[in-house]
Amino acid sequence: LYAIEIGGFQLPRRPRTSHKGRFGRLGVVGGSASMPGASVLAAEAGARIGAGYSTLFFSKGSQTKLRVKDASFIFKSRWTMKDILSQTALVVGCGGKPGARFKVLKLQTPMVLDASALSEASAADLKSWRKSKCPILLTPHPGEAAKLLKTSPQKVEADRMGALDELVKLTGQSVYLKGSPALLKFKGDSKTYVNLSAVPAFATAGSGDTLSGILGGILAQGSLGFEESVISGIAFHQALGTLLQNVEGSISSDQLTLFSETFKKLRISCAG
């Protein structure tokens, strides 16, 4: 096992001449009328981690109104695959599965699959993931992993390593199995990475959506390779967790207010 630690964060500092056009386009495809918050968390996390543009493509029609503070990202309730193809990375499934108009096999951009994209996956979805030309990271919790493997969450928890290997084999893609300990395995790599930093404050709805936005936002920037981006995203979330280690009563949106402090902590740690 290879431990993921905050020293694994590699996202470079930005030069003074930076502008948004240099830092990619993150597309968050998800949300629905009943669960808009998950996609909003992911889109804002992607913007805060540094994607030049972060766009929320609503998976289903909604009358949701965004507040002025949400203007840090773009919101589209009507879109086509042409819009999706212009993104440099994607987060798919937070709060809603995108539906038939979303065509994985047309894409070559890195992608994070979470939540509804996993829990509602069909046999056709699995086939498209295996055949996909784009690098994909699945981020299931034990319940979503169990649905993919057609077993129970209890059996996933009883053999997390075995479940991780089965998921990689089943999907043909990289998998980050959330929980404690969280486990990561990349497609085509025999190594297994472990994240031992269990944080009680993350045991709340929306924490996974924030993590997906972080991962997608780093992937969108294109300054790191796929594996480096994923490990850096997990390390960032790990460092963020240390700021909430002893906090009770927090909700997932609280995590978004701590990104600047997390960056500061990481820059000091990595410099040391």
Side-chain angles (χ1 to χ4, degrees):
L1 293 175
Y2 295 78
I4 299 175
E5 300 176 340
I6 61 174
F9 181 76
Q10 299 182 56
L11 192 66
R13 288 182 180 272
R14 295 184 169 185
R16 292 179 180 273
T17 55
S18 297
H19 60 82
K20 61 187 177 184
R22 293 184 179 180
F23 299 107
R25 295 175 175 270
L26 172 65
V28 175
V29 188
S32 61
S34 61
M35 291 191 293
S39 56
V40 172
L41 285 169
E44 184 169 342
R48 287 182 180 274
I49 202 69
Y53 296 87
S54 182
T55 302
L56 198 172
F57 297 95
F58 233 87
S59 60
K60 298 176 183 177
S62 173
Q63 298 300 314
T64 300
K65 303 294 184 182
L66 296 186
R67 296 168 293 175
V68 172
K69 85 172 193 68
D70 295 319
S72 57
F73 56 89
I74 303 165
F75 178 89
K76 288 191 175 185
S77 57
R78 295 182 180 180
W79 50 271
T80 66
M81 276 302 293
K82 183 178 180 180
D83 299 304
I84 301 298
L85 288 168
S86 68
Q87 308 304 300
T88 55
L90 295 165
V91 171
V92 182
C94 296
K97 188 179 177 183
R101 60 179 161 166
F102 184 80
K103 307 291 186 183
V104 169
L105 294 179
K106 287 189 175 183
L107 298 165
Q108 296 190 30
T109 51
M111 186 185 319
V112 178
L113 296 180
D114 191 19
S116 296
L118 306 176
S119 63
E120 300 176 26
S122 65
D125 291 323
L126 288 167
K127 184 177 180 180
S128 67
W129 300 345
R130 288 192 294 266
K131 294 175 66 176
S132 175
K133 295 180 181 178
C134 57
I136 297 175
L137 177 70
L138 285 74
T139 59
H141 57 52
E144 292 156 352
K147 286 188 177 181
L148 288 168
L149 296 173
K150 300 186 186 305
T151 186
S152 68
Q154 291 77 17
K155 288 185 177 179
V156 170
E157 291 285 31
D159 184 10
R160 295 178 63 81
M161 289 280 289
L164 178 70
D165 289 339
E166 284 187 54
L167 286 165
V168 172
K169 183 177 179 180
L170 175 70
T171 64
Q173 295 293 346
S174 304
V175 177
Y176 182 56
L177 179 58
K178 295 182 288 195
S180 182
L183 300 172
L184 169 68
K185 196 161 195 174
F186 292 108
K187 173 184 177 180
D189 190 345
S190 61
K191 296 193 292 289
T192 299
Y193 297 85
V194 60
N195 179 4
L196 295 170
S197 62
V199 179
F202 283 165
T204 185
S207 288
D209 305 304
T210 301
L211 172 61
S212 290
I214 291 169
L215 293 165
I218 294 177
L219 285 166
Q221 294 174 59
S223 55
L224 301 172
F226 181 76
E227 295 187 9
E228 292 172 320
S229 294
V230 170
I231 290 174
S232 288
I234 294 170
F236 184 93
H237 202 235
Q238 187 181 87
L240 174 61
T242 65
L243 302 178
L244 291 166
Q245 192 75 48
N246 300 309
V247 176
E248 293 184 299
S250 68
I251 59 175
S252 294
S253 58
D254 294 339
Q255 296 171 30
L256 300 172
T257 67
L258 298 173
F259 275 44
S260 293
E261 192 173 347
T262 303
F263 268 115
K264 183 178 179 180
K265 179 183 180 71
L266 282 165
R267 297 304 185 195
I268 292 172
S269 297
C270 293

mmCIF file of all heavy atoms in Angstrom, residues 8 29 37 42-43 61 72 82 86 96 102 112-113 147 166 186 191 206-207 246 252:
data_model
loop_
_atom_site.group_PDB
_atom_site.id
_atom_site.type_symbol
_atom_site.label_atom_id
_atom_site.label_comp_id
_atom_site.label_asym_id
_atom_site.label_seq_id
_atom_site.Cartn_x
_atom_site.Cartn_y
_atom_site.Cartn_z
ATOM 1 N N GLY A 8 1.632 14.994 -1.159
ATOM 2 C CA GLY A 8 1.342 14.600 -2.534
ATOM 3 C C GLY A 8 0.707 15.696 -3.358
ATOM 4 O O GLY A 8 0.500 15.538 -4.567
ATOM 5 N N VAL A 29 -21.711 18.098 -14.852
ATOM 6 C CA VAL A 29 -22.968 17.634 -15.434
ATOM 7 C C VAL A 29 -23.728 16.867 -14.359
ATOM 8 O O VAL A 29 -23.342 15.754 -13.987
ATOM 9 C CB VAL A 29 -22.723 16.730 -16.662
ATOM 10 C CG1 VAL A 29 -24.046 16.432 -17.359
ATOM 11 C CG2 VAL A 29 -21.735 17.379 -17.625
ATOM 12 N N GLY A 37 -28.341 21.009 -5.056
ATOM 13 C CA GLY A 37 -27.214 21.417 -4.235
ATOM 14 C C GLY A 37 -25.931 20.678 -4.516
ATOM 15 O O GLY A 37 -24.842 21.250 -4.455
ATOM 16 N N ALA A 42 -20.148 20.998 -6.306
ATOM 17 C CA ALA A 42 -19.067 20.558 -7.186
ATOM 18 C C ALA A 42 -18.585 21.696 -8.078
ATOM 19 O O ALA A 42 -17.377 21.884 -8.266
ATOM 20 C CB ALA A 42 -19.530 19.375 -8.031
ATOM 21 N N ALA A 43 -19.519 22.465 -8.634
ATOM 22 C CA ALA A 43 -19.144 23.568 -9.523
ATOM 23 C C ALA A 43 -18.365 24.642 -8.779
ATOM 24 O O ALA A 43 -17.371 25.177 -9.291
ATOM 25 C CB ALA A 43 -20.390 24.165 -10.173
ATOM 26 N N GLY A 61 -34.123 19.483 -16.406
ATOM 27 C CA GLY A 61 -34.683 20.826 -16.348
ATOM 28 C C GLY A 61 -35.002 21.245 -14.933
ATOM 29 O O GLY A 61 -35.456 20.458 -14.119
ATOM 30 N N SER A 72 -19.619 32.844 -9.576
ATOM 31 C CA SER A 72 -18.256 32.400 -9.855
ATOM 32 C C SER A 72 -18.229 31.263 -10.871
ATOM 33 O O SER A 72 -17.182 30.900 -11.382
ATOM 34 C CB SER A 72 -17.566 31.945 -8.563
ATOM 35 O OG SER A 72 -18.318 30.919 -7.944
ATOM 36 N N LYS A 82 -22.155 19.432 -27.940
ATOM 37 C CA LYS A 82 -21.187 20.412 -28.451
ATOM 38 C C LYS A 82 -20.651 21.260 -27.305
ATOM 39 O O LYS A 82 -19.454 21.581 -27.252
ATOM 40 C CB LYS A 82 -21.848 21.293 -29.515
ATOM 41 C CG LYS A 82 -20.891 22.289 -30.159
ATOM 42 C CD LYS A 82 -21.589 23.098 -31.241
ATOM 43 C CE LYS A 82 -20.620 24.097 -31.871
ATOM 44 N NZ LYS A 82 -21.285 24.901 -32.936
ATOM 45 N N SER A 86 -16.429 21.155 -25.403
ATOM 46 C CA SER A 86 -15.531 22.297 -25.248
ATOM 47 C C SER A 86 -14.863 22.345 -23.871
ATOM 48 O O SER A 86 -14.009 23.191 -23.619
ATOM 49 C CB SER A 86 -16.301 23.609 -25.475
ATOM 50 O OG SER A 86 -17.239 23.833 -24.437
ATOM 51 N N GLY A 96 -27.608 14.040 -10.003
ATOM 52 C CA GLY A 96 -28.452 13.628 -11.123
ATOM 53 C C GLY A 96 -27.648 13.036 -12.260
ATOM 54 O O GLY A 96 -26.563 13.518 -12.594
ATOM 55 N N PHE A 102 -26.002 12.585 -23.075
ATOM 56 C CA PHE A 102 -24.589 12.621 -22.701
ATOM 57 C C PHE A 102 -23.905 11.370 -23.238
ATOM 58 O O PHE A 102 -24.249 10.250 -22.870
ATOM 59 C CB PHE A 102 -24.457 12.686 -21.179
ATOM 60 C CG PHE A 102 -23.035 12.831 -20.703
ATOM 61 C CD1 PHE A 102 -22.411 14.068 -20.712
ATOM 62 C CD2 PHE A 102 -22.322 11.725 -20.252
ATOM 63 C CE1 PHE A 102 -21.101 14.202 -20.283
ATOM 64 C CE2 PHE A 102 -21.009 11.853 -19.816
ATOM 65 C CZ PHE A 102 -20.402 13.096 -19.826
ATOM 66 N N VAL A 112 -14.553 12.680 -13.936
ATOM 67 C CA VAL A 112 -14.829 12.101 -12.626
ATOM 68 C C VAL A 112 -16.295 11.686 -12.603
ATOM 69 O O VAL A 112 -17.174 12.509 -12.878
ATOM 70 C CB VAL A 112 -14.558 13.115 -11.492
ATOM 71 C CG1 VAL A 112 -14.906 12.497 -10.127
ATOM 72 C CG2 VAL A 112 -13.106 13.576 -11.510
ATOM 73 N N LEU A 113 -16.558 10.429 -12.305
ATOM 74 C CA LEU A 113 -17.926 9.927 -12.209
ATOM 75 C C LEU A 113 -18.274 9.710 -10.745
ATOM 76 O O LEU A 113 -17.537 9.029 -10.018
ATOM 77 C CB LEU A 113 -18.077 8.609 -12.971
ATOM 78 C CG LEU A 113 -17.861 8.635 -14.481
ATOM 79 C CD1 LEU A 113 -18.050 7.234 -15.056
ATOM 80 C CD2 LEU A 113 -18.816 9.603 -15.159
ATOM 81 N N LYS A 147 -23.820 -1.358 -5.501
ATOM 82 C CA LYS A 147 -24.767 -1.403 -6.618
ATOM 83 C C LYS A 147 -24.062 -1.801 -7.907
ATOM 84 O O LYS A 147 -24.588 -2.574 -8.704
ATOM 85 C CB LYS A 147 -25.462 -0.050 -6.771
ATOM 86 C CG LYS A 147 -26.497 0.218 -5.693
ATOM 87 C CD LYS A 147 -27.299 1.468 -5.986
ATOM 88 C CE LYS A 147 -28.383 1.676 -4.932
ATOM 89 N NZ LYS A 147 -29.201 2.883 -5.192
ATOM 90 N N GLU A 166 -12.212 -5.481 -7.949
ATOM 91 C CA GLU A 166 -13.352 -5.878 -8.778
ATOM 92 C C GLU A 166 -13.911 -4.694 -9.557
ATOM 93 O O GLU A 166 -14.305 -4.821 -10.724
ATOM 94 C CB GLU A 166 -14.447 -6.476 -7.900
ATOM 95 C CG GLU A 166 -14.175 -7.891 -7.411
ATOM 96 C CD GLU A 166 -15.375 -8.465 -6.690
ATOM 97 O OE1 GLU A 166 -16.476 -8.462 -7.265
ATOM 98 O OE2 GLU A 166 -15.214 -8.903 -5.533
ATOM 99 N N PHE A 186 -5.326 2.990 -9.920
ATOM 100 C CA PHE A 186 -5.402 3.506 -11.277
ATOM 101 C C PHE A 186 -5.456 2.368 -12.291
ATOM 102 O O PHE A 186 -4.854 1.310 -12.086
ATOM 103 C CB PHE A 186 -4.193 4.399 -11.589
ATOM 104 C CG PHE A 186 -4.174 5.687 -10.822
ATOM 105 C CD1 PHE A 186 -3.263 5.884 -9.797
ATOM 106 C CD2 PHE A 186 -5.071 6.703 -11.122
ATOM 107 C CE1 PHE A 186 -3.237 7.067 -9.088
ATOM 108 C CE2 PHE A 186 -5.060 7.885 -10.420
ATOM 109 C CZ PHE A 186 -4.144 8.084 -9.392
ATOM 110 N N LYS A 191 -0.356 -0.879 -8.233
ATOM 111 C CA LYS A 191 -0.240 -0.247 -6.916
ATOM 112 C C LYS A 191 -1.618 0.141 -6.369
ATOM 113 O O LYS A 191 -2.503 0.545 -7.122
ATOM 114 C CB LYS A 191 0.646 0.992 -6.971
ATOM 115 C CG LYS A 191 2.095 0.724 -7.328
ATOM 116 C CD LYS A 191 2.971 1.918 -7.072
ATOM 117 C CE LYS A 191 2.690 3.079 -7.989
ATOM 118 N NZ LYS A 191 3.122 2.844 -9.354
ATOM 119 N N GLY A 206 -22.857 15.745 0.727
ATOM 120 C CA GLY A 206 -22.228 16.810 -0.042
ATOM 121 C C GLY A 206 -20.716 16.810 -0.008
ATOM 122 O O GLY A 206 -20.077 17.417 -0.868
ATOM 123 N N SER A 207 -20.106 16.113 0.964
ATOM 124 C CA SER A 207 -18.641 16.081 1.031
ATOM 125 C C SER A 207 -18.045 15.442 -0.217
ATOM 126 O O SER A 207 -17.023 15.892 -0.740
ATOM 127 C CB SER A 207 -18.174 15.322 2.273
ATOM 128 O OG SER A 207 -18.407 16.056 3.442
ATOM 129 N N ASN A 246 -11.743 18.760 14.450
ATOM 130 C CA ASN A 246 -12.462 18.781 15.726
ATOM 131 C C ASN A 246 -13.704 19.663 15.686
ATOM 132 O O ASN A 246 -14.186 20.126 16.722
ATOM 133 C CB ASN A 246 -11.526 19.249 16.841
ATOM 134 C CG ASN A 246 -10.325 18.327 16.997
ATOM 135 O OD1 ASN A 246 -10.488 17.122 17.106
ATOM 136 N ND2 ASN A 246 -9.133 18.896 16.979
ATOM 137 N N SER A 252 -21.398 20.611 4.406
ATOM 138 C CA SER A 252 -20.443 20.535 3.297
ATOM 139 C C SER A 252 -20.087 21.895 2.714
ATOM 140 O O SER A 252 -18.949 22.116 2.300
ATOM 141 C CB SER A 252 -20.991 19.616 2.207
ATOM 142 O OG SER A 252 -21.065 18.294 2.690
#
